[in-house]
Amino acid sequence: MSKTSPESVVVVGRNAEHQVRNALILSGVLLSATVAVILAGPQDHVPQEVVALLAGLAVGVWLLRFSPPWRWLAMLVLVLSLVLCLVLGPAGIAWFGGFISGTQAGLAWQHARKAYGKDAAGSR
């Protein structure tokens, strides 16, 4: 059996931190860009767009963080998100921006959980 040196453990930890940080940065940039598009557009539908943004964010986090056992569900949600983007107009853009941002946040959460070995149920 090969032994793992402390240096290699530190490098693995740093790589995991980079994955978490990069996913959070991308999520924040996408969320900020979506909010900027909402605020730069017509102001008559802002409440609907904010609700769509939050709903997309929640679905994206749920889909990537809690990974349902059905692999086909991810593709179905992506296709439905694209359809909603086209059908809802400005609120659809907010939905899609929230969804993509949420998937990146969920991915960061998943990487952090794997990197630090903490289970959500075990942290209570």
Side-chain angles (χ1 to χ4, degrees):
M1 269 195 181
S2 65
K3 292 185 179 180
T4 305
S5 66
E7 292 83 19
S8 65
V9 173
V10 171
V11 171
V12 170
R14 286 184 187 154
N15 288 340
E17 288 174 6
H18 290 303
Q19 289 176 342
V20 172
R21 185 181 64 216
N22 291 342
L24 284 175
I25 289 171
L26 185 57
S27 176
V29 167
L30 291 169
L31 187 62
S32 299
T34 305
V35 169
V37 167
I38 289 172
L39 295 178
Q43 299 298 315
D44 54 342
H45 299 291
V46 171
Q48 294 171 349
E49 293 170 356
V50 169
V51 169
L53 174 74
L54 294 175
L57 191 65
V59 169
V61 169
W62 171 77
L63 187 65
L64 265 274
R65 166 53 183 95
F66 298 106
S67 301
W70 312 289
R71 296 287 181 200
W72 54 266
L73 186 63
M75 186 58 68
L76 179 67
V77 171
L78 179 61
V79 169
L80 288 176
S81 293
L82 290 172
V83 169
L84 278 175
C85 183
L86 296 173
V87 170
L88 294 179
I93 294 170
W95 161 268
F96 195 68
F99 176 72
I100 297 298
S101 178
T103 58
Q104 290 301 309
L107 187 64
W109 191 352
Q110 193 176 56
H111 282 310
R113 182 172 173 240
K114 287 179 183 177
Y116 304 113
K118 292 183 181 176
D119 189 13
S123 63
R124 291 183 196 169

